[in-house]
């Protein structure tokens, strides 16, 4: 079974500072993908960044980067230069390769990020 | 151009009623999903269809019945609604088959349907 753990229910950061949102995962699949989604108060799910289990380099997308430590099974999201519009719920998710997992995404509990002016 | 659309956006109904939520994607994807987000914001897969064929069916009461008339549509019908069915239901789609980068296939989510059962 796959499991995603986000241990920070809430995080606060000052505008323009960097923040790290933690994500650890558990899977027996040798191949898997890790995703981060943002859910603002308006409710939609917005894809941010992806990291593959065989990727040698950490993924980056603009102000978002993923600190992937495979041996520790962690995939932390780093947001640089936080903006007020970054205030939202952030979800870490995984998809594995087992027959039972199929193409589903398994989500963590989410971290509510608040950016203070 | 809306990639994944859901109707209705809000649905308020009485216990015991039957209701449907419709989902359409114009991305040409071959796989569609239904996820449920509960009051604590936890998201969980309910169903997945690939080219109109059911491939994932989680432990969901059989009051919930998905229907895929074609690969661009995946509707969710719920019979005998209960208070515990109140949640936000998200439709999503992705391209799975014949994809060169299987693991990176992002799932595109619809705007969600907030269902309230009174």
């Amino acid at each position: 079974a796959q499991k995603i753990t986000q241990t920070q229910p809430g995080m606060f950061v000052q505008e323009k500072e960097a923040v790290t949102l933690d994500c650890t995962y558990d899977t027996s699949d040798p191949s898997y993908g890790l995703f981060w989604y943002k859910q603002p108060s308006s409710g939609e799910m917005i894809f941010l960044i992806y990291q593959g289990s065989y990727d040698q380099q950490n993924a980056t997308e603009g102000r978002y980067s993923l600190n992937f430590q495979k041996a520790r099974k962690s995939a932390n999201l780093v947001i640089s230069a936080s903006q007020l519009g970054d205030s939202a719920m952030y979800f870490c998710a995984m998809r594995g390769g087992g027959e039972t997992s199929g193409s589903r995404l398994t989500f963590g509990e989410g971290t509510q990020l608040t950016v203070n002016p | 151009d809306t990639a994944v659309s859901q109707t209705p956006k809000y649905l308020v109904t009485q216990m015991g009623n039957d209701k449907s939520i419709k989902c359409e994607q114009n991305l040409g994807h071959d796989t569609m999903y239904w996820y449920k987000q509960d009051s604590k914001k936890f998201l969980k897969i309910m169903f997945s269809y690939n080219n109109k064929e059911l491939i994932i069916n989680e432990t969901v009461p059989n009051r919930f019945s998905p229907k895929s008339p074609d690969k661009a549509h995946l509707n969710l019908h719920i019979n005998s609604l209960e208070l515990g069915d109140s949640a936000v239901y998200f439709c999503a789609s992705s391209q799975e088959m014949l994809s060169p980068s299987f693991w990176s296939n992002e799932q595109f989510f619809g705007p969600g349907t907030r269902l309230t059962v009174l």
Side-chain angles (χ1 to χ4, degrees):
Chain A
Q2 300 172 1
K3 186 174 171 59
I4 293 279
T5 302
Q6 294 179 253
T7 56
Q8 307 153 314
M11 285 285 285
F12 294 86
V13 66
Q14 286 298 121
E15 198 177 4
K16 298 180 186 175
E17 292 185 351
V19 63
T20 297
L21 306 183
D22 294 342
C23 172
T24 57
Y25 60 91
D26 190 23
T27 182
S28 55
D29 295 326
S31 303
Y32 49 88
L34 295 155
F35 300 78
W36 278 91
Y37 282 84
K38 172 184 178 182
Q39 186 177 40
S41 58
S42 50
E44 70 268 32
M45 294 288 289
I46 302 167
F47 166 73
L48 295 178
I49 196 167
Y50 160 81
Q51 180 83 43
S53 57
Y54 292 117
D55 291 344
Q56 296 295 316
Q57 292 190 320
N58 286 344
T60 60
E61 287 286 348
R63 293 186 299 111
Y64 304 108
S65 60
L66 205 152
N67 184 358
F68 181 48
Q69 297 187 43
K70 193 171 181 177
R72 301 176 73 173
K73 293 190 174 180
S74 73
N76 299 338
L77 177 70
V78 180
I79 305 174
S80 63
S82 297
Q83 301 172 356
L84 295 178
D86 293 335
S87 292
M89 181 73 93
Y90 289 79
F91 291 98
C92 181
M94 177 172 66
R95 59 178 295 171
E99 287 185 5
T100 57
S101 62
S103 54
R104 74 188 68 193
L105 284 175
T106 299
F107 285 87
E109 303 91 336
T111 295
Q112 181 68 47
L113 176 67
T114 302
V115 180
N116 294 317
Chain B
D1 286 347
T2 304
V4 183
S5 59
Q6 293 179 230
T7 53
K9 190 164 173 58
Y10 300 97
L11 187 51
V12 181
T13 188
Q14 298 286 334
M15 254 189 347
N17 284 351
D18 302 339
K19 290 293 178 186
S20 292
I21 306 171
K22 295 186 176 181
C23 178
E24 177 181 2
Q25 54 95 3
N26 62 8
L27 298 166
H29 288 163
D30 58 12
T31 305
M32 296 183 73
Y33 313 81
W34 279 109
Y35 288 87
K36 179 180 180 180
Q37 186 172 42
D38 63 22
S39 58
K40 295 183 179 178
K41 299 280 194 176
F42 187 67
L43 274 151
K44 191 172 180 196
I45 184 78
M46 298 175 69
F47 301 104
S48 173
Y49 270 74
N50 177 265
N51 277 322
K52 303 191 297 175
E53 184 180 338
L54 181 67
I55 56 171
I56 295 175
N57 184 349
E58 281 297 284
T59 310
V60 176
N62 56 16
R63 299 181 294 105
F64 289 78
S65 53
K67 285 202 169 40
S68 182
D70 55 61
K71 73 174 192 178
H73 296 84
L74 180 61
N75 303 324
L76 183 65
H77 188 76
I78 316 170
N79 289 328
S80 304
L81 278 155
E82 300 177 357
L83 294 176
D85 297 333
S86 294
V88 179
Y89 292 85
F90 283 98
C91 178
S93 75
S94 65
Q95 182 62 34
E96 297 301 317
M97 306 304 285
L98 302 177
S99 176
S101 54
F102 175 76
W103 305 112
S104 69
N105 292 339
E106 166 198 347
Q107 291 185 14
F108 292 79
F109 282 77
T113 295
R114 182 175 292 278
L115 171 65
T116 303
V117 183
L118 304 174

